[in-house]
Amino acid sequence: MTILEKAKETRSRKINKVEATKALKEPMEVYAKLEEIAAAGYEGLAKEDSAYFLKCFGLFDKGEDFMLRVRIPGGKLNHTQALRLGEVAKTYANDYIDISTRMQIVLRYIKIENIAIVLKALKEVGLSTFQTGVDNTRNTVTDPLDGLAYDSIIETKPIIDRLEATFIENPEWISTLPRKFNTGILGSLSNSCNIFGHDCCFVLAQKEGLFGFNVYLGARVGVQAKDADVFIAEEEVPVFYKALLTVFKTYGYRDNRNKNRLYFLIQDVGMSNMIEAVKKEAGCDFSPAGITMVQSQNIALGSNRVLGRNGKFNYKIIVPSGIFSGTDMIEASNAAQTYGSGDIRLTYDQNLYIVNVAPTQLETLERSEPVSKYARFNNLYFTDMIACAGTKTCSFGVIPNKPDAIEMAHFLNSEVAIENATVRMNWSACPKGCGIHGIADIGFEGCKARDDEGNRVDGVHIFTGGKITREAKEAHVLHKALPIDEAKHHVKYLLKTYAKYKLRAETYEAFDDRFLSTRYSFQALSFFTKINYILNEKLGLEIMFELETEPKSGKHEAYELFTFGLKLYKLLTGEKRFESVVGLEVNMLKPTRIKRDTVSKLNPKVPPKLSEVIYNMTHEEKSKRAAVFSELLVALKEI
């Protein structure tokens, strides 16, 4: 018995309820009866169809109407498809469209009597909704400028089309996996599709002068994919992919749905055993990995105009939180036809490109609808913002989310406008992480928090330090459960620091690598934003506690805490706390002893609790000082 067989046997003592539902019928039986289901209305809707089978075809029952996910392979739409999407949204979906992080379209508010009509209208123009929900292979993402940009080495759309033709509307693969399966394939040097964030990731690589893909496997919320040490040539992708899906279908777990993703199988059997099983299934001994070629973030880096290697421009329309409309899609499709090749490319950060625009047509395009309509969002805080659905349309949402993201972006743009900068801010409305907050420069996860009066309000956990460029790295928690009205100020102080110390055109991710994460602990950064919030927003002192460019603390928490305390004392009293300090030791030849309320006496604007905090940070005796920032942050909550 192989290690995969043993793992499956261990986890096969019971199956989850969804697997029991899947055994009731074949999904295509339900698809064949869509017109009957639509005609019967909610009264005739079978429970298992609502709970599971309709989701295989993108239809999600919301109680009074349906949400529909439309599959857009690689995010690429031709003019006819984009126009039809707009018309369908306008006629059947309250003129509402969401652009999702899987580079596809989400329609909402579709009445049950119209579901068959809508799917038929989409199918007429080559748009499928198959396998966009539940235990299926979801929409494959790639570089939105695949085949167009100067850094696009391998055009991936032909590969994606082969995978789609093999799996997506093939009954042998519909609803046969243990859990959902996300795929990304990147043939470009820039990471414009969160390439390390999928169950299966084909990442541009070079080996012995040949270009292909290194394989990374097993991402999920909070975990990035791991290097599988495999190099795949273009023509080998379909063979490897089918073998991988077959192994997952055969050995993947079907008990605890929270632990049925590919990640957990790899975790139990090990990556090398997983790859050996794939090689055996494929009948192919794939080569060891080459050199991963991802070099940068999105090639546009904040610009709306991107010149393609064909001499034509690709124009990015910034869509805040991905909230679009059927009317806007119709206008975008007509603009694409008039000024470009007629094609539209959706992006993983919920925006869209009108592509192949001749240089002579560019300025005219910029004056057209909907480009001019969305021009006001062409700034740092909207360009790379992501926000998943919140409480308005998602039962899992904890906060409204999309409106929260938009409001904060407007606030930050008014408070900290920065030129030649790039910052990625991602919002998830709940711990499921559909907004990909874990890989953001600054990420937000919706939660409930308490305001100063103890009232339960919408809040967020703030994350910082996620990486998406040459490597994938999950962010760290900066603060937990902050009211959103407070959280925006914490972010403001991080961005003020970025504005002050960044190098020319330096991205926030690079700035974090060079400055923040290198020179300060996350605990120190948490204290930094909190103390500035208190000094300015709560006390109105208009005093900026700033980070130093060359701190001597070496990210040693006790050292950081002490030096922060000394700086605060000087900032609030105008006096030095000690005559001299060496490391954590003070010169006691001229001891400077203070009491808990000394800072308040020297500066009556400082409340007693803050005075006490500074006392605890700077006590003459090292053993009596506060040891960690976390206890100080608790104390600061009382101010």
Side-chain angles (χ1 to χ4, degrees):
M1 184 180 290
T2 67
I3 188 170
L4 274 84
E5 290 171 332
K6 288 179 181 178
K8 182 180 179 180
E9 184 179 89
T10 301
R11 294 282 298 274
S12 296
R13 290 164 190 162
K14 61 178 182 178
I15 63 170
N16 60 63
K17 293 180 180 179
V18 172
E19 290 296 330
T21 299
K22 289 159 70 173
L24 294 176
K25 60 182 84 171
E26 292 297 323
M28 290 305 292
E29 295 176 32
V30 178
Y31 184 76
K33 296 179 179 179
L34 271 182
E35 290 185 0
E36 294 178 30
I37 292 171
Y42 271 107
E43 295 76 12
L45 184 59
K47 182 178 180 181
E48 66 271 17
D49 293 349
S50 170
Y52 185 83
F53 290 104
L54 288 175
K55 294 177 183 177
C56 292
F57 310 105
L59 287 162
F60 290 74
D61 180 11
K62 296 298 180 179
E64 297 180 353
D65 47 42
F66 280 81
M67 176 190 84
L68 177 65
R69 292 176 182 161
V70 185
R71 194 176 190 93
I72 315 292
K76 300 179 182 181
L77 289 166
N78 62 38
H79 169 69
T80 304
Q81 291 171 332
L83 188 63
R84 180 61 57 87
L85 276 169
E87 291 168 347
V88 167
K90 196 171 180 181
T91 304
Y92 300 105
N94 285 12
D95 201 27
Y96 185 91
I97 284 176
D98 273 327
I99 303 173
S100 82
T101 56
R102 293 218 66 78
M103 303 172 77
Q104 60 188 14
I105 292 296
V106 178
L107 303 177
R108 302 185 187 275
Y109 314 116
I110 300 172
K111 299 300 181 183
I112 190 169
E113 61 265 27
N114 294 324
I115 58 175
I117 297 171
V118 168
L119 265 61
K120 182 181 179 181
L122 296 174
K123 188 174 183 179
E124 287 174 351
V125 295
L127 290 173
S128 175
T129 63
F130 280 50
Q131 297 202 53
T132 53
V134 288
D135 303 343
N136 290 292
T137 56
R138 307 297 184 82
N139 197 52
T140 301
V141 304
T142 188
D143 179 0
L145 298 182
D146 174 55
L148 297 176
Y150 275 98
D151 76 324
S152 179
I153 308 298
I154 299 175
E155 186 172 4
T156 64
K157 187 57 164 56
I159 302 172
I160 294 173
D161 288 343
R162 287 183 63 186
L163 301 183
E164 294 280 311
T166 301
F167 298 103
I168 302 311
E169 296 198 3
N170 183 344
E172 294 180 10
W173 287 99
I174 299 170
S175 184
T176 59
L177 299 181
R179 205 65 167 83
K180 72 175 180 179
F181 195 90
N182 291 334
T183 305
I185 179 166
L186 180 68
S188 303
L189 297 174
S190 57
N191 185 357
S192 53
C193 63
N194 181 29
I195 190 56
F196 299 104
H198 313 279
D199 293 271
C200 177
C201 319
F202 296 101
V203 187
L204 179 68
Q206 179 266 118
K207 187 171 185 179
E208 298 175 355
L210 299 176
F211 291 109
F213 304 95
N214 282 344
V215 177
Y216 291 73
L217 298 176
R220 65 182 183 90
V221 173
V223 178
Q224 296 298 304
K226 300 296 188 295
D227 188 350
D229 192 21
V230 174
F231 178 81
I232 305 291
E234 288 182 60
E235 63 274 11
E236 293 176 321
V237 171
V239 177
F240 179 91
Y241 193 66
K242 184 175 183 179
L244 175 63
L245 285 178
T246 301
V247 170
F248 182 46
K249 179 169 72 171
T250 304
Y251 298 105
Y253 306 142
R254 298 175 186 267
D255 52 357
N256 181 349
R257 284 192 61 83
N258 291 327
K259 295 185 177 181
N260 285 3
R261 292 285 293 275
L262 179 67
Y263 164 84
F264 295 100
L265 180 60
I266 293 173
Q267 188 180 47
D268 288 348
V269 305
M271 185 67 81
S272 60
N273 288 313
M274 184 72 191
I275 293 302
E276 283 304 311
V278 173
K279 288 179 178 178
K280 183 177 179 180
E281 177 64 34
C284 183
D285 188 19
F286 302 107
S287 300
I291 301 170
T292 298
M293 298 295 291
V294 176
Q295 298 294 316
S296 69
Q297 292 184 28
N298 191 314
I299 192 172
L301 285 179
S303 174
N304 294 88
R305 303 176 173 191
V306 184
L307 181 65
R309 59 190 183 192
N310 60 0
K312 296 183 178 181
F313 281 92
N314 307 290
Y315 192 90
K316 190 176 186 180
I317 298 176
I318 305 304
V319 183
S321 294
I323 300 173
F324 212 46
S325 71
T327 299
D328 291 336
M329 185 62 82
I330 291 170
E331 290 174 347
S333 67
N334 289 334
Q337 182 81 338
T338 302
Y339 304 106
S341 59
D343 300 318
I344 284 175
R345 305 284 184 93
L346 306 180
T347 74
Y348 108 97
D349 53 6
Q350 301 176 296
N351 301 307
L352 63 88
Y353 278 101
I354 291 175
V355 299
N356 295 318
V357 179
T360 55
Q361 295 285 343
L362 196 57
E363 290 187 6
T364 311
L365 169 66
E366 290 180 326
R367 292 193 296 269
S368 72
E369 289 282 353
V371 175
S372 59
K373 176 180 177 179
Y374 285 87
R376 64 194 179 97
F377 301 111
N378 293 345
N379 66 61
L380 166 68
Y381 300 109
F382 282 101
T383 300
D384 295 291
M385 183 180 77
I386 290 174
C388 69
T391 50
K392 184 178 179 180
T393 55
C394 178
S395 58
F396 297 107
V398 180
I399 61 174
N401 206 51
K402 285 179 180 285
D404 298 320
I406 292 171
E407 184 178 345
M408 186 178 287
H410 280 308
F411 168 79
L412 293 171
N413 191 52
S414 66
E415 293 283 323
V416 200
I418 313 173
E419 297 294 328
N420 298 316
T422 303
V423 59
R424 297 177 297 106
M425 298 174 64
N426 297 358
W427 289 71
S428 296
C430 77
K432 287 184 175 291
C434 295
I436 329 175
H437 63 275
I439 50 88
D441 293 326
I442 304 173
F444 307 89
E445 179 190 311
C447 66
K448 291 300 178 184
R450 298 284 180 183
D451 63 15
D452 291 341
E453 286 73 45
N455 300 311
R456 198 164 182 259
V457 298
D458 290 340
V460 288
H461 307 308
I462 300 180
F463 295 75
T464 60
K467 305 292 179 231
I468 196 177
T469 303
R470 292 178 178 83
E471 63 172 349
K473 183 179 178 182
E474 289 290 320
H476 295 260
V477 176
L478 184 73
H479 287 288
K480 283 202 158 191
L482 289 180
I484 294 177
D485 282 345
E486 177 181 339
K488 65 184 182 182
H489 295 289
H490 289 263
V491 177
K492 176 181 71 177
Y493 290 113
L494 286 175
L495 292 165
K496 280 181 175 289
T497 304
Y498 172 46
K500 181 172 182 177
Y501 296 119
K502 82 176 187 72
L503 304 178
R504 180 174 57 86
E506 185 176 32
T507 67
Y508 190 95
E509 181 177 310
F511 171 73
D512 180 76
D513 275 340
R514 178 183 63 82
F515 188 97
L516 292 177
S517 295
T518 301
R519 302 178 188 185
Y520 291 96
S521 68
F522 283 99
Q523 296 86 348
L525 294 176
S526 180
F527 181 87
F528 160 73
T529 64
K530 186 69 175 182
I531 197 65
N532 273 305
Y533 171 72
I534 288 172
L535 293 176
N536 294 282
E537 274 63 52
K538 298 203 79 173
L539 302 180
L541 298 180
E542 297 184 3
I543 295 174
M544 180 70 177
F545 178 87
E546 295 183 343
L547 298 176
E548 297 178 5
T549 55
E550 298 295 337
K552 299 177 181 179
S553 57
K555 297 176 68 172
H556 186 278
E557 187 170 5
Y559 200 160
E560 287 177 319
L561 192 152
F562 182 50
T563 55
F564 275 21
L566 297 177
K567 189 171 182 177
L568 271 175
Y569 187 90
K570 178 70 180 297
L571 198 62
L572 294 172
T573 68
E575 300 178 5
K576 290 179 65 175
R577 174 70 176 88
F578 298 106
E579 188 67 27
S580 63
V581 173
V582 179
L584 295 172
E585 304 294 340
V586 301
N587 182 354
M588 295 306 290
L589 294 176
K590 296 181 179 180
T592 309
R593 301 185 183 279
I594 65 172
K595 296 182 179 180
R596 294 179 183 274
D597 62 351
T598 297
V599 177
S600 294
K601 287 183 176 180
L602 292 172
N603 185 347
K605 294 181 180 179
V606 176
K609 177 54 71 173
L610 180 54
S611 180
E612 183 180 340
V613 165
I614 296 170
Y615 169 83
N616 288 330
M617 295 174 76
T618 64
H619 198 282
E620 304 86 41
E621 298 179 41
K622 186 169 63 173
S623 62
K624 293 183 179 180
R625 290 177 203 149
V628 292
F629 280 112
S630 57
E631 64 179 278
L632 299 178
L633 289 169
V634 171
L636 290 175
K637 289 181 180 180
E638 299 179 28
I639 299 175

